[in-house]
Amino acid sequence: MRVLVVEDERLLADAIAEWLRGDAHAVDLAYDGASALERVGVNDYDVVVLDRDLPLVHGDEVCREIVDGETAARVLMLTAAAEVTDRVDGLGLGADDYLTKPFAFPELAARVHALGRRCRPAAPPTLRRAGITLDPARREVFRDGRYVPLARKEFAVLAELLLADGAVVSAERLLEKAWDEHADPFTGAVRLTVLKLRRKLADPPVVETVKGAGYRIR
């Protein structure tokens, strides 16, 4: 998934991003509300992890803009306030979920994963196609019963291809969902990752290149 983390405490923001990247998500960062709105206006996010108390533009206003805009992003609001009224206010703004600080990173990651599932068509917990089995929760992949160790980007690309259920997925879509905003679209990163993925999945080949369109799993 593509996730935006908006948090003005930079060490916390970086730690959240690193944890989510460990789950094979593409993560962008914003340290204030104005930067968050700029990124939301440009990128297609699945989930926005949003601190409520932000400089420049308050988190409440950022949440309103996301909810009222055309984006399908889900909002997980973070706050140091633990009062019930604060949580109710946050949800009343349109946030999809609410987490008070301090929190456990595994819980945050689980909530992000759950919200990401809401913004897509319902998918089974385990993805299967062409002899491939991918378990997102355990981050495990098997091909015809054989365990296939994958790097983060390889896992993320394979998940997108399996979610497409045989449809073609463009390189631009894969770049958007598996890499962050700093990725250079001209580096051939997607092509190289698909090449490594093919090698690890072994024969018979299942990842097909559709010239001028993208990739699919037959």
Side-chain angles (χ1 to χ4, degrees):
M1 292 187 298
R2 185 79 177 270
V3 181
L4 175 64
V5 175
V6 190
E7 167 62 63
D8 63 321
E9 296 181 33
R10 291 184 177 241
L11 289 177
L12 177 57
D14 294 345
I16 293 172
E18 186 61 26
W19 189 277
L20 294 176
R21 286 169 182 148
D23 280 346
H25 300 310
V27 183
D28 295 337
L29 285 165
Y31 301 113
D32 60 70
S35 298
L37 290 176
E38 289 177 5
R39 284 167 173 76
V40 169
V42 172
N43 300 308
D44 180 19
Y45 294 107
D46 296 296
V47 178
V48 178
V49 179
L50 177 66
D51 183 40
R52 191 173 185 187
D53 189 15
L54 291 172
L56 300 185
V57 179
H58 195 273
D60 289 357
E61 183 58 31
V62 175
C63 185
R64 288 192 191 95
E65 291 286 339
I66 293 172
V67 172
D68 293 341
E70 297 180 356
T71 177
R74 302 290 182 170
V75 177
L76 171 58
M77 186 167 278
L78 305 178
T79 183
E83 296 296 327
V84 172
T85 52
D86 292 298
R87 295 198 296 271
V88 170
D89 288 345
L91 294 172
L93 293 168
D96 298 278
D97 200 358
Y98 204 94
L99 191 60
T100 57
K101 301 176 183 177
F103 51 81
F105 285 117
E107 180 182 5
L108 181 142
R111 289 175 183 249
V112 167
H113 181 71
L115 289 177
R117 287 175 59 84
R118 289 191 207 170
C119 71
R120 297 170 178 239
T126 301
L127 303 174
R128 293 184 174 88
R129 189 175 183 84
I132 300 169
T133 301
L134 183 148
D135 187 332
R138 293 184 174 87
R139 288 203 71 245
E140 293 180 340
V141 174
F142 293 86
R143 172 81 191 274
D144 296 326
R146 174 182 63 86
Y147 176 69
V148 182
L150 296 180
R152 294 179 189 176
K153 298 303 184 192
E154 295 159 2
F155 187 92
V157 166
L158 180 60
E160 286 297 322
L161 293 173
L162 290 172
L163 282 167
D165 197 26
V168 176
V169 183
S170 68
E172 291 78 13
R173 170 75 177 182
L174 292 175
L175 193 68
E176 180 180 275
K177 292 300 181 182
W179 280 263
D180 60 28
E181 64 183 350
H182 301 294
D184 185 346
F186 302 105
T187 60
V190 172
R191 181 179 58 80
L192 290 174
T193 300
V194 170
L195 179 61
K196 293 177 182 178
L197 183 59
R198 284 183 176 132
R199 288 173 179 169
K200 291 185 178 182
L201 291 174
D203 293 330
V206 291
V207 181
E208 177 185 3
T209 300
V210 181
K211 190 173 181 179
Y215 306 90
R216 68 182 172 197
I217 293 180
R218 293 177 289 186

